[in-house]
Amino acid sequence: MKQVRTRFAPSPTGFLHVGGIRTAVFAWLVARQANGQFILRLEDTDKKRETPGSDQHVMDSLKALGLEYDEGPDIGGPHAPYRQSERLPLYKDWARKLVDAGRAYGDPYTTAEVQAFREEAQAAKRPFLYRNHRPENPPAWDGSKPLRFKSDPKPYKWHDAILGGLSAGPEAIDDFILIKSDGYPTYNFAHIIDDNDMQLTHVIRGQEFTASVPNYLNLYEALGFTPPILATVPHILGPDGKHKLSKRDGAKDVLDYIRDGFLPEALINFIAGLGWNDGTEQEIFSRQELIDKFSLGRVQRGGAHFDERRLMWMDGVWIRSLPLEELLSRTKAFWPAEAGEATDGYKRQVLALVQERLKYLAELPELTRFFFVDLPVDPKLIDEHKQLKKLPASRLKELLEQARATLADSDFSIPDLTGRLNQLLQETGEKPATLFSLIRIATTQASASPGLADTLAVLGRNRSLVRLDQQLANLR
Ligand code: GLU
């Protein structure tokens, strides 16, 4: 058996949103499962479309997700260089071989001439094909004109590891450009040379290349190469399930998700599930489970659905699954500024209370700020509260005074607080939704918080009583 070698071959022309990195996840899984190699190759042959920094961005994104590659532009490898713009001599060599074998020719036509051919075909209602206009005596190819493949039109049948059996007639085959007049190869040519040179066994890529596969098969033949396993992944559709996912659908850049504190475990789990499942109801997969269970044969053919709420749900599941200490070590960059002086011990206590509710780590400031700083009394919290707004200020004051008196005697342990809070319910005859909301608002200045007794225990006696007093002063 050949050593499995897969690749991710992005063009550094923009920022990778989560959908764009899915082919990398699939290729990485196929390689890891077979103890093979995963290669990063940058396809930077379209100099006009290149955006500065996007090559680094690709590498950073892969690393952030833990998709470590075995060979690549920044780490080298036996088939270096891994940037196509640095491999031009290799493409020229192969282009020469094709010219010498009579399988490539310099394109002699001007744009206007090609346009005339096109119109001619249109008028005659037949598809325009370059191969119907092959020059009789092409000029020697000196690099100033594009080099075209001299195709050998024929029907093809081939197997796609995801789509299954596919076929196309000879009309799908044409004389496409191998090398452009700027000296750079086209994707159509360069990827075939590189996949062969780098001994890649699988080509896993998007649907946009499927129509060109017959041309590629024709070129493999002309070059004497054995085609790799081809696998076409389905489109990722936006939330409406109709059009291809784009940034406008809120599909963010992988690094944006990392900056928002989504865990790499959850991101990989989510991305792998865009068009793949293992045939069971299981939704949460660890990295190792994905490696063990992934198979191209189970990638669905139809479009995959992108739903960011699902990602949030998964991230929450992953956050809850982390041991507290591990979660604490991952939250370093996410605490509110006000937590500056707080000890790890205190943060650990706070974290234990919000771990249940966190969907991503960047929510931490919003959920925990009040644990670190006394926030100003916000009258809206009472004025707009469903139950509390019905009570006159005198009653609110009465309730708060009673709560303060009862809590002042507490040792602020959870059992004691729980007992006293229940006692207050009985004494006041109020429902928890009224009484506990009032105490919660007074002590946190937030409309939601973890369990009241837990929250008060972490805040401690001093802070809790001072805040009750502040709220009372505000009511007067
Ligand atoms: N450079 C191509 C792209 O970014 C890669 C396609 C492939 O994987 O071969 O779309």
Side-chain angles (χ1 to χ4, degrees), residues 7 9-11 41 43 187 191 203-205 208-209:
R7 86 303 196 270
S11 307
R41 178 174 79 219
E43 304 208 318
Y187 164 76
H191 87 276
V203 168
I204 301 165
R205 66 185 155 200
E208 56 275 33
F209 303 100

Side-chain angles (χ1 to χ4, degrees), residues 173-373:
I173 297 197
D174 198 10
D175 291 0
F176 59 89
I177 293 180
L178 302 171
I179 308 258
K180 298 173 282 182
S181 56
D182 65 3
Y184 283 95
T186 55
Y187 164 76
N188 293 340
F189 184 46
H191 87 276
I192 288 185
I193 299 299
D194 287 341
D195 288 346
N196 180 74
D197 181 69
M198 298 178 177
Q199 296 171 20
L200 292 159
T201 52
H202 294 64
V203 168
I204 301 165
R205 66 185 155 200
Q207 245 165 265
E208 56 275 33
F209 303 100
T210 314
S212 305
V213 168
N215 278 320
Y216 303 154
L217 295 174
N218 210 240
L219 181 58
Y220 286 122
E221 259 173 48
L223 291 163
F225 297 169
T226 310
I229 292 170
L230 303 177
T232 304
V233 299
H235 283 319
I236 301 178
L237 306 175
D240 68 358
K242 291 196 187 108
H243 66 278
K244 242 177 101 176
L245 179 71
S246 76
K247 290 218 163 174
R248 263 165 292 144
D249 299 311
K252 284 185 283 191
D253 179 328
V254 172
L255 292 180
D256 279 338
Y257 283 113
I258 295 282
R259 271 189 287 274
D260 281 348
F262 283 83
L263 307 184
E265 291 95 326
L267 282 163
I268 294 258
N269 190 166
F270 172 73
I271 296 167
L274 292 171
W276 174 84
N277 65 68
D278 74 341
T280 74
E281 299 283 293
Q282 185 172 345
E283 296 190 84
I284 301 297
F285 293 91
S286 69
R287 195 176 281 265
Q288 191 56 47
E289 279 178 302
L290 289 172
I291 293 173
D292 295 340
K293 296 186 176 179
F294 183 77
S295 85
L296 287 173
R298 285 210 54 89
V299 174
Q300 72 192 42
R301 295 172 192 193
H305 219 102
F306 176 85
D307 181 357
E308 203 183 47
R309 285 168 311 177
R310 183 172 159 77
L311 171 58
M312 297 230 191
W313 167 75
M314 275 191 178
D315 202 55
V317 173
W318 276 101
I319 286 177
R320 289 194 285 284
S321 79
L322 290 183
L324 193 55
E325 212 46 45
E326 172 65 23
L327 182 59
L328 181 66
S329 77
R330 300 219 200 175
T331 51
K332 291 221 158 61
F334 295 98
W335 291 99
E338 294 84 348
E341 302 287 284
T343 62
D344 271 1
Y346 187 67
K347 285 182 182 165
R348 199 179 291 117
Q349 280 181 294
V350 171
L351 207 48
L353 292 192
V354 296
Q355 182 169 18
E356 237 357 81
R357 291 173 52 217
L358 267 181
K359 292 189 296 300
Y360 51 96
L361 303 181
E363 287 185 315
L364 213 47
E366 190 194 321
L367 296 181
T368 68
R369 189 166 278 117
F370 64 80
F371 280 109
F372 302 98
V373 65

